[in-house]
Amino acid sequence: FDGVQFTVLRREEAPELPASSVDVLHPAPSGVWFGTPRGGGHVEGLTIRRFHTDVGAIHAFATVEGTSYAGTDRGLYRIAGVDLVPVAFDGTPVHALYAEAGTLLIATAGRIHRLSGNRVELLAQTDPALDDLLFRRIVRYQGRLLLGTTRGLHEVAAHETRIRPAESPLLSPSIGIEALHVDSDLNLWIGTVSALYRESPLFGLE
């Protein structure tokens, strides 16, 4: 979008795109990083450059103190130009990332980890029966760490290490959460396949 009109880059006209669907975008120092089910890369204007590293699907990006990371089917990687440098979780899918206070929160199946410097620590985990739970999105909202998952909204309460379902009068525990976002007015937006919800400090969930 150049301020006047949109330019659509399709795989037919842009063979550099690894796949026809783009699942995630993230601002780069110039242009944007993009992720697809078959890898990703960088786009600026009409120029597309694919990552050189084969990592399968790219699920998430985050930037911490000027360093950008990618969560992929094959682990956590640091972005260096169009190369991806392995950081942690070799061979383990990383489905969500969240930058917080100079650290990086990382979601693997059933677990949330924190990367601080070069050190990775386990922050919270689900009950063993939910070890296969996949986290799609992570946000911090009103002191709670909220997790959008394949089976509803979950949370980690302050000073706890257990991931549990978040109580909600409107959200079914079986519905998949596709998006979470906290806006400048401190409203929480929750996107599912079929609906968009808003939770505000004044009016609650609607």
Side-chain angles (χ1 to χ4, degrees):
F1 183 66
D2 62 4
V4 178
Q5 63 181 4
F6 285 95
T7 300
V8 180
L9 300 175
R10 299 183 180 88
R11 199 178 184 198
E12 292 78 7
E13 298 91 16
E16 300 88 353
L17 283 172
S20 56
S21 64
V22 174
D23 297 328
V24 60
L25 297 171
H26 185 71
S30 60
V32 294
W33 308 116
F34 68 89
T36 82
R38 297 178 180 175
H42 177 266
V43 59
E44 184 173 4
L46 300 180
T47 301
I48 300 172
R49 297 188 302 160
R50 292 177 63 168
F51 290 133
H52 294 157
T53 315
D54 182 10
V55 294
I58 295 180
H59 303 287
F61 294 104
T63 299
V64 178
E65 297 182 341
T67 299
S68 294
Y69 298 89
T72 81
D73 270 349
R74 298 180 184 175
L76 177 69
Y77 288 77
R78 175 175 56 84
I79 301 173
V82 287
D83 292 314
L84 296 176
V85 180
V87 175
F89 306 104
D90 182 32
T92 298
V94 171
H95 289 279
L97 300 173
Y98 183 67
E100 180 178 64
T103 67
L104 181 67
L105 302 186
I106 305 156
T108 60
R111 291 168 173 79
I112 300 296
H113 314 262
R114 176 186 284 125
L115 173 68
S116 180
N118 295 319
R119 180 170 174 262
V120 177
E121 62 177 326
L122 179 64
L123 187 66
Q125 59 187 344
T126 61
D127 292 329
L130 295 176
D131 260 358
D132 61 342
L133 189 67
L134 297 183
F135 303 112
R136 289 176 170 154
R137 299 290 182 267
I138 308 172
V139 297
R140 179 76 67 179
Y141 181 68
Q142 294 186 340
R144 299 180 296 161
L145 189 64
L146 296 182
L147 311 167
T149 83
T150 49
R151 282 181 274 174
L153 188 65
H154 285 61
E155 68 176 345
V156 180
H159 310 299
E160 291 192 6
T161 59
R162 184 172 65 88
I163 298 169
R164 61 186 181 188
E167 296 182 4
S168 170
L170 296 180
L171 294 173
S172 166
S174 62
I175 196 168
I177 304 296
E178 301 292 330
L180 289 175
H181 177 70
V182 178
D183 66 23
S184 58
D185 294 322
L186 301 182
N187 296 305
L188 171 68
W189 295 88
I190 305 168
T192 70
V193 171
S194 59
L196 178 65
Y197 301 87
R198 180 181 69 176
E199 181 172 338
S200 73
L202 294 177
F203 304 108
L205 188 64
E206 54 187 355

